[in-house]
Amino acid sequence: MTNNPATPADAPITSPPKRQFVAAHPDTEIALHDDRPLDLREALRRGDLEIVLLPQRSHDLDDLHYYPVGEDRLFAILPEAHELAGLAEIPLPALADLPLVCGDGCPFWEAADRSFRELGLSVTPKAIATRSEWLFELVGLGVGVGVAARYVDLPAGLVTRPVEGAALIHEINLTTKRGRLYSPPVKAFVDLALMPRRNLQRPASAA
């Protein structure tokens, strides 16, 4: 099972299914990896991976199956004493004049960059981190404000605040290779991950 840097391995979207899966399949070996969405897609196509978690599906028809399992959005990661930490949501323009730290290949940053340009703003990250731990360290050192997806376990002294803007919200997709049969453990995980959404879509029985 893999995910990309914009969708943390401890994301609430996948944590309950992982706990259920581990309880039901205690002998199955699980490997969690972070990588760029493009690299994850190619590894999936090669057969190196059976399932990946991606923050957005391809806009074009391709050879992958995308199963929506939830949504995530852009968050600002900042010291709890920062002046913007007192806001419930941070307006995107408020970040334009601040030094920013983003993840390498982060699709949330790509969405933010488009939104900045639509506002007539040209914003370039001051630093790019290839791992979430390094992003946290740079923010903690005062290099800049982090922009990324939601993280559950932040280092002490850091907080997250959502950034305003519908364009900064992404569908999270469990992704598999079209036409390829799952191994039994992967099929079990897919069924667990999709169960909440399937239950919501199931018509209510007549009273």
Side-chain angles (χ1 to χ4, degrees), residues 56-137:
Q56 56 190 15
R57 66 179 64 202
S58 172
H59 296 297
D60 302 317
L61 290 176
D62 62 12
D63 56 345
L64 303 179
H65 273 302
Y66 299 91
Y67 302 98
V69 291
E71 288 183 339
D72 205 352
R73 63 183 299 173
L74 183 72
F75 279 77
I77 303 172
L78 57 167
E80 57 188 5
H82 195 283
E83 60 182 357
L84 294 180
L87 300 178
E89 285 190 323
I90 297 177
L92 183 66
L95 298 176
D97 294 326
L98 299 176
L100 300 178
V101 181
C102 71
D104 187 22
C106 173
F108 285 96
W109 169 255
E110 295 172 6
D113 182 52
R114 287 193 298 271
S115 295
F116 278 130
R117 284 189 276 109
E118 288 172 1
L119 295 172
L121 301 171
S122 178
V123 180
T124 302
K126 182 175 182 179
I128 297 174
T130 56
R131 296 181 63 86
S132 58
E133 304 95 293
W134 298 342
L135 189 150
F136 300 153
E137 183 175 357

Side-chain angles (χ1 to χ4, degrees), residues 10-23:
D10 60 356
I13 292 166
T14 57
S15 291
K18 281 188 289 192
R19 285 194 294 268
Q20 296 172 43
F21 180 83
V22 169

